[in-house]
Amino acid sequence: MVLLVDLQKEYESISEELNYNLQKVLNSGVYVLGREVEKFEGAFSKYLGINHTISVNSGSDALFLALKSLGIDKGDEVITVSHTFNSTVDSIVRAGAKPVFIDINPETYCMDVDKIHENISDKTRAILPVHLYGHPADMEQILELKNEHQLYVIEDACQAHGSVYKNDKIGTIGDLGCFSFYPTKNLGAYGDGGAIVTNDKELMEKLTWLRNYGQSQKYHHDFLGFNSRLDELQASVLRTKLKYLDHWIEMRRKNASIYTELLQDSGLTTPVERPFSLHVYHLYVIRSHMREQLKNELEKHHVQTQIHYPIPVHLQKPYTQIQGNWELPVTEKVSQEILSLPIHPWMNYEDISKVTDCIMGVLK
Ligand SMILES: *Cc1c(COP(=O)(O)O)cnc(C)c1O
């Protein structure tokens, strides 16, 4: 069986260290907002090269609280993509604002930055690009539009821990960067978790209050708040794993290059890595008009695959009511053709060639 992700192998590779660290937390008697959370937040900030990390309960909450901290609310519009995980857009709606969908670049699968300008209205408050699959969106043009129109930029970096755009780590380029630590992400907890990162001290303070019932001091509630915290056990898991993140990214990149080499004569569309960027291959996504045959054949050979994502967000039930004449031809076409192949740090050459042999068998 070739698994899409292999969290058991990941655990085995660092189990001794993890168990030791978790036992320490259990012995400590402090389980929420203690030293472990502080230490992880510090370590993650240092890794990214940013001033502040505010850990929260999930990537979804990171996005939602990021929007809230900027005061985005009813009547506001947020420009984003439809080719993403539903949660990106749910967060905008949950904050009360209206998502404005724009199409994607057919090579990077990220926001088509040439389409942003025509979608800016006097209600637009923010641009929310998604660094999908681990490849950065084209931030330079996004930042130009931000400055020109005085907009906020919130990065959905939930699939892009460690990814780089030019000289900066993804998540540190906009006003706020949002991460998920869902177990299958490149940096995952053993439960739910997320974080918002920023260089802005005021936003950091506001987010620290928002995640903790709106309290600025104990029992002083200056905002309508929420309960959205990372717990000490998850923080300990994440701090232990963070040390290995770059190594794991390297292994993903190596596996991706083996795939791309073995598939080079297949006629399939394989992932690109733009010169300005470091792709961290959260997912290795190919495109083919024979997607269904490939998926079925791989399943027969005990190779797990997935489609990220089969139905664009604007065509999902809750969103069909949102007004807008969305013209998203690339998004809609791509959703019919994409297929995510297994890519994780514990795959070896044999696993990968098993997958590609099976693909070549279908295509010949
Ligand atoms: C995983 C993910 C989220 C949501 O994160 P959760 O921690 O599962 O809430 C949001 N956006 C993208 C692009 C994701 O991949």
Side-chain angles (χ1 to χ4, degrees):
M1 187 87 193
V2 185
L3 299 172
L4 201 62
V5 282
D6 196 335
L7 296 179
Q8 275 175 312
K9 285 235 175 75
E10 186 195 82
Y11 173 66
E12 276 164 29
S13 76
I14 50 171
S15 62
E16 238 174 85
E17 190 181 356
L18 266 169
N19 292 350
Y20 176 81
N21 290 343
L22 285 172
Q23 191 61 55
K24 271 204 310 203
V25 178
L26 290 172
N27 291 340
S28 76
V30 178
Y31 307 113
V32 171
L33 292 186
R35 286 281 293 146
E36 279 302 322
V37 162
E38 240 173 68
K39 282 196 259 180
F40 169 67
E41 290 179 340
F44 199 56
S45 296
K46 189 166 171 221
Y47 174 78
L48 293 176
I50 198 159
N51 290 346
H52 311 289
T53 296
I54 307 93
S55 60
V56 294
N57 166 276
S58 65
S60 302
D61 273 8
L63 289 158
F64 168 70
L65 294 172
L67 292 158
K68 280 283 136 202
S69 73
L70 297 169
I72 288 169
D73 213 321
K74 274 202 189 59
D76 295 336
E77 292 181 357
V78 177
I79 292 177
T80 191
V81 287
S82 176
H83 184 61
T84 181
F85 185 51
N86 228 69
S87 155
T88 310
V89 188
D90 285 344
S91 312
I92 298 170
V93 176
R94 194 144 66 102
K98 179 185 165 184
V100 172
F101 296 114
I102 66 169
D103 217 348
I104 53 165
N105 178 294
E107 288 180 356
T108 63
Y109 305 109
C110 294
M111 188 174 266
D112 180 350
V113 290
D114 295 329
K115 297 270 156 60
I116 300 173
H117 191 260
E118 64 201 64
N119 282 287
I120 294 177
S121 77
D122 53 4
K123 292 182 180 152
T124 308
R125 297 283 312 282
I127 306 173
L128 203 166
V130 183
H131 306 292
L132 203 68
Y133 307 150
H135 190 285
D138 192 347
M139 294 306 289
E140 190 171 311
Q141 260 175 285
I142 293 174
L143 291 181
E144 273 170 26
L145 289 163
K146 166 189 164 58
N147 293 333
E148 195 180 321
H149 297 271
Q150 315 245 315
L151 303 172
Y152 294 117
V153 171
I154 301 158
E155 295 176 68
D156 183 337
C158 289
Q159 299 189 1
H161 320 66
S163 174
V164 179
Y165 178 80
K166 297 195 174 155
N167 294 316
D168 296 311
K169 286 249 164 69
I170 282 306
T172 67
I173 300 164
D175 297 281
L176 295 160
C178 299
F179 290 88
S180 165
F181 304 124
Y182 184 76
T184 59
K185 305 287 162 131
N186 284 15
L187 178 64
Y190 291 146
D192 277 304
I196 307 137
V197 302
T198 186
N199 276 319
D200 186 314
K201 187 158 175 281
E202 262 177 59
L203 286 177
M204 179 274 286
E205 279 179 344
K206 203 160 171 194
L207 284 162
T208 309
W209 301 336
L210 282 173
R211 74 169 171 189
N212 196 31
Y213 322 111
Q215 286 184 131
S216 56
Q217 313 162 39
K218 193 127 183 120
Y219 306 129
H220 290 250
H221 303 265
D222 291 340
F223 297 99
L224 183 65
F226 305 89
N227 174 350
S228 183
R229 298 171 304 226
L230 187 75
D231 63 65
E232 291 282 288
L233 286 168
Q234 302 304 344
S236 166
V237 171
L238 290 167
R239 192 161 64 94
T240 308
K241 285 195 186 181
L242 181 60
K243 286 189 289 186
Y244 300 95
L245 179 59
D246 280 341
H247 177 53
W248 291 342
I249 288 172
E250 237 167 76
M251 288 156 88
R252 285 176 183 274
R253 287 175 57 76
K254 187 173 138 241
N255 288 343
S257 71
I258 296 172
Y259 262 129
T260 301
E261 199 180 310
L262 293 178
L263 291 172
Q264 69 179 348
D265 299 323
S266 66
L268 289 172
T269 306
T270 52
V272 299
E273 183 178 52
R274 284 281 160 86
F276 55 73
S277 58
L278 183 91
H279 196 328
V280 293
Y281 290 99
H282 173 59
L283 295 168
Y284 187 92
V285 177
I286 58 164
R287 256 172 80 193
S288 166
H289 54 272
M290 290 171 73
R291 194 251 313 268
E292 297 308 317
Q293 287 109 298
L294 288 172
K295 188 166 177 35
N296 292 337
E297 194 63 17
L298 286 163
E299 198 173 301
K300 261 192 239 157
H301 287 81
H302 309 288
V303 176
Q304 274 189 342
T305 61
Q306 253 315 332
I307 298 165
H308 299 94
Y309 298 90
I311 307 169
V313 179
H314 71 286
L315 300 177
Q316 302 275 4
K317 263 196 204 140
Y319 293 101
T320 50
Q321 277 127 48
I322 291 176
Q323 289 186 349
N325 273 331
W326 315 124
E327 272 184 46
L328 309 168
V330 181
T331 296
E332 290 180 16
K333 181 164 190 280
V334 156
S335 69
Q336 306 290 318
E337 298 182 346
I338 43 175
L339 187 65
S340 306
L341 304 179
I343 186 154
H344 60 75
W346 292 273
M347 284 181 83
N348 55 32
Y349 188 90
E350 244 167 64
D351 296 325
I352 299 170
S353 58
K354 181 180 169 185
V355 178
T356 56
D357 285 350
C358 179
I359 290 173
M360 294 309 244
V362 177
L363 296 177
K364 78 162 183 277

